[in-house]
């Protein structure tokens, strides 16, 4: 049992080493990604007017954005009713989304139905003909508009709001129930000759802006398809241009490299701690003397200290500002790393280059990824060593079970002997 306790500690320790190598594998994989080296960040001279975010397809550049107008929604308001429970009328409300267009002189306004949206008919019966019930029917119908009630000094009004964008305007046709008239008070059609009883308090329109002198329009104040890889969030109208700058996100790249260094140092430190002998306390780590653990440490240190033909500028870690400490961990010199980051193309090659014909031209993170994949595989050194220790635990458990059986039999035999002895002693007395 004592031996198994020690073996289980070793299994746990190998689990820590496996976790450290797994983190290093993830960090190396991140550096091998093309998207990692092409990451960008954008800044806006006036984020309240034009906000900006980038994506993987963003390219460095400068943009001058002027916002002429924001996208707006169509708003309609009914006449005031005494209360929200006042009966309006019965019949059918027919709602159609589309665009109001004006042409000619004098101007003629026409309504062009939206191709992707069909007319929606909402039946208003005797149980739902009040102002609040009509609001609820419209909201549950999924017509593309939102209904609400506004109460003021004159009473309750039904207010209807569409989605932003010129093609999300709407008209409402009414077919009244002659036995319960009044629903026509909710009709609205702004086209020439149309019938309107509701008042339009705001028209539906697109956002209008210019980007580097080019006029653009959007149904939303979020423009995600105007400039490749950029999403512009229009916040307010401005007469002066807002300057957008898109640059390589060197902060994110440096952070990724630092994560790689930390993951490597964690691997080295973990193995060293678990295999060392502390002379002061006269105690040894769980894997002290373990040849597999020492071999892994030697492999990873030899790899990290090797030369690479991946880049014509950077051949060793020291060339980019990474020095190997006495204990095998890495230390980064910020000034030299900053210099290396001034040549991102060659720095990417140093880490992420892949050459299937000649592995000596593979980048450092590619080599680390290959090694960790091998070590962490089902047939790798870590799994093999762990499974070997688990097999020893299982064999010990079998031995413990056999010893328990023998002990139980011995106990039964001794109890029988002492019981007989007690009986004989009683007779002698």
């Amino acid at each position: 049992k004592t031996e198994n306790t020690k073996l289980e500690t070793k299994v746990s320790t190998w689990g820590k080493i496996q976790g450290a190598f797994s983190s290093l594998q993830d960090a190396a994989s991140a550096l091998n990604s093309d998207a990692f080296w092409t990451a960008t960040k954008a800044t806006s001279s006036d984020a309240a007017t034009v906000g900006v975010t980038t994506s993987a397809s963003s390219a460095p550049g400068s943009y001058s954005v002027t916002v002429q107008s924001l996208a707006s929604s169509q708003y309609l308001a009914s006449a005031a009713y005494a209360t929200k429970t006042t009966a309006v009328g019965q019949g059918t409300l027919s709602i159609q989304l589309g665009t109001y267009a004006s042409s000619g002189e004098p101007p003629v306004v026409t309504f062009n139905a939206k191709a992707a949206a069909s007319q929606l008919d909402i039946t208003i019966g005797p149980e739902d003909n009040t102002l609040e019930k009509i609001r609820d029917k419209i909201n549950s119908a999924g017509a593309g508009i939102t209904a609400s009630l506004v109460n003021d000094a004159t009473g309750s009004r039904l207010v209807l709001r569409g989605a932003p964008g010129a093609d999300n305007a709407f008209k409402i046709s009414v077919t009244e129930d002659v036995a319960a008239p009044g629903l026509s008070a909710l009709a609205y059609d702004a086209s020439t000759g149309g019938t309107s009883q509701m008042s339009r308090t705001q028209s539906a329109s697109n956002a209008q802006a210019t980007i580097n002198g080019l006029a653009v329009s959007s149904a939303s104040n979020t423009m995600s398809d105007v400039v490749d890889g950029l999403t512009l969030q229009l916040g307010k109208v401005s007469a002066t241009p807002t300057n957008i700058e898109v640059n390589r996100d060197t902060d994110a790249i440096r952070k990724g490299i630092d994560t790689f260094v930390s993951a490597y140092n964690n691997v080295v430190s973990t193995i060293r701690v678990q295999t060392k002998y502390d002379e002061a306390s006269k105690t040894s780590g769980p894997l002290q003397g373990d040849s597999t653990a020492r071999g892994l440490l030697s492999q990873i240190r030899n790899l990290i200290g090797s030369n690479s033909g991946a880049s014509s500028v950077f051949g060793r870690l020291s060339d980019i500002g990474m020095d190997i400490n006495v204990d095998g961990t890495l230390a980064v010199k910020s000034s030299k790393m900053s210099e290396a980051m001034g040549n991102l193309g060659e720095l990417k090659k140093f880490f992420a280059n892949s050459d299937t014909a000649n592995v000596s031209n593979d980048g450092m993170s590619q080599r680390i990824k290959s090694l960790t994949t091998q070590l962490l595989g089902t047939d790798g050194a870590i799994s093999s060593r762990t499974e070997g220790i688990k097999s020893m635990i299982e064999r010990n458990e079998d031995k413990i079970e056999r010893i328990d059986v023998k002990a139980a039999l011995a106990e039964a035999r001794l109890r029988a002997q002492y019981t007989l002895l007690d009986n004989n002693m009683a007779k002698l007395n």
Side-chain angles (χ1 to χ4, degrees):
K1 286 181 178 179
T2 301
E3 179 66 19
N4 266 7
T5 299
K6 295 178 181 178
L7 292 173
E8 285 166 357
T9 300
K10 288 186 178 183
V11 171
S12 176
T13 301
W14 276 108
K16 294 178 182 178
I17 294 174
Q18 183 179 34
F21 271 104
S22 180
S23 296
L24 178 59
Q25 183 185 51
D26 292 341
S29 296
L31 265 60
N32 293 336
S33 168
D34 287 337
F36 173 83
W37 298 97
T38 58
T40 55
K41 64 178 179 180
T43 57
S44 171
S45 63
D46 184 359
T49 301
V50 183
V52 59
T53 55
T54 63
S55 67
S57 59
S58 302
S62 300
Y63 305 92
S64 176
V65 183
T66 304
V67 182
Q68 283 82 35
S69 63
L70 298 177
S72 61
S73 303
Q74 176 178 312
Y75 276 84
L76 301 180
S78 71
Y81 289 83
T83 67
K84 63 182 180 180
T85 58
T86 301
V88 177
Q90 300 176 35
T92 302
L93 296 175
S94 299
I95 300 174
Q96 178 70 58
L97 301 181
T99 306
Y100 286 106
S102 179
S103 61
E105 191 64 43
V108 175
V109 179
T110 57
F111 180 81
N112 301 311
K114 194 174 183 178
S118 57
Q119 176 177 298
L120 183 65
D121 296 329
I122 302 174
T123 301
I124 306 299
E127 296 180 354
D128 40 38
N129 69 340
T130 64
L131 208 60
E132 63 176 351
K133 294 292 186 180
I134 292 174
R135 173 201 63 190
D136 296 339
K137 290 277 285 189
I138 292 174
N139 287 335
S140 62
I145 63 175
T146 302
S148 60
L149 296 181
V150 175
N151 302 305
D152 57 22
T154 58
S156 294
R157 300 174 188 272
L158 180 69
V159 176
L160 303 179
R161 171 177 58 85
D167 61 350
N168 288 314
F170 57 94
K171 70 174 183 177
I172 303 175
S173 304
V174 178
T175 303
E176 283 196 339
D177 184 339
V178 294
L183 194 63
S184 59
L186 302 183
Y188 180 82
D189 184 356
S191 56
T192 302
T195 300
S196 296
Q197 297 297 327
M198 299 186 78
S199 301
R200 183 171 67 184
T201 58
Q202 181 174 286
S203 300
S205 64
N206 288 342
Q208 305 290 336
T210 56
I211 301 178
N212 289 350
L214 179 66
V216 295
S217 176
S218 172
S220 168
N221 289 322
T222 299
M223 294 184 169
S224 57
D225 55 355
V226 177
V227 180
D228 281 345
L230 293 186
T231 298
L232 303 178
Q233 181 64 52
L234 307 185
K236 61 181 180 179
V237 174
S238 176
T240 58
T242 299
N243 296 319
I244 304 294
E245 293 289 338
V246 182
N247 299 297
R248 290 288 177 220
D249 193 353
T250 53
D251 291 340
I253 294 172
R254 176 60 191 270
K255 183 179 179 181
I257 294 174
D258 287 343
T259 299
F260 172 79
V261 171
S262 296
Y264 172 80
N265 288 346
N266 184 45
V267 168
V268 173
S269 299
T270 299
I271 298 178
R272 284 177 57 85
V273 168
Q274 303 304 328
T275 57
K276 76 174 183 178
Y277 177 77
D278 190 338
E279 188 66 35
S281 62
K282 305 298 182 184
T283 57
S284 59
L287 301 183
Q288 200 270 330
D290 190 301
S291 60
T292 302
R294 292 200 308 269
L296 293 183
L297 183 58
S298 177
Q299 272 187 281
I300 197 73
R301 290 186 64 174
N302 288 340
L303 189 154
I304 210 73
S306 62
N307 289 327
S308 171
S311 166
S312 60
V313 178
F314 309 118
R316 300 177 65 87
L317 286 173
S318 58
D319 294 336
I320 64 170
M322 290 186 188
D323 291 337
I324 301 176
N325 297 320
V326 176
D327 63 358
T329 58
L330 295 175
V332 180
K333 292 181 178 178
S334 295
S335 58
K336 200 164 186 179
M337 176 60 73
S338 297
E339 283 183 34
M341 293 190 67
N343 191 347
L344 283 180
E346 291 299 319
L347 188 62
K348 175 186 176 182
K349 290 179 182 179
F350 176 78
F351 279 107
N353 190 61
S354 178
D355 189 341
T356 55
N358 186 357
V359 293
S360 65
N361 290 333
D362 282 350
M364 188 57 68
S365 55
Q366 285 286 2
R367 295 182 181 188
I368 292 290
K369 172 68 182 304
S370 298
L371 176 61
T372 53
T373 300
Q374 175 188 341
L375 296 178
L376 294 171
T378 54
D379 296 328
I382 296 176
S383 294
S384 298
R385 187 72 181 99
T386 304
E387 291 304 317
I389 297 173
K390 288 181 178 179
S391 296
M392 293 172 66
I393 293 174
E394 290 177 1
R395 289 196 296 271
N396 279 350
E397 288 175 346
D398 290 341
K399 290 180 182 179
I400 292 170
E401 186 176 348
R402 291 196 296 271
I403 290 172
D404 285 342
V405 171
K406 289 180 180 180
L409 293 174
E411 180 183 0
R413 184 172 65 253
L414 289 173
R415 287 187 180 279
Q417 289 176 344
Y418 277 96
T419 299
L420 181 58
L421 175 62
D422 284 343
N423 291 336
N424 288 336
M425 290 294 291
K427 290 176 183 178
L428 289 173
N429 289 341

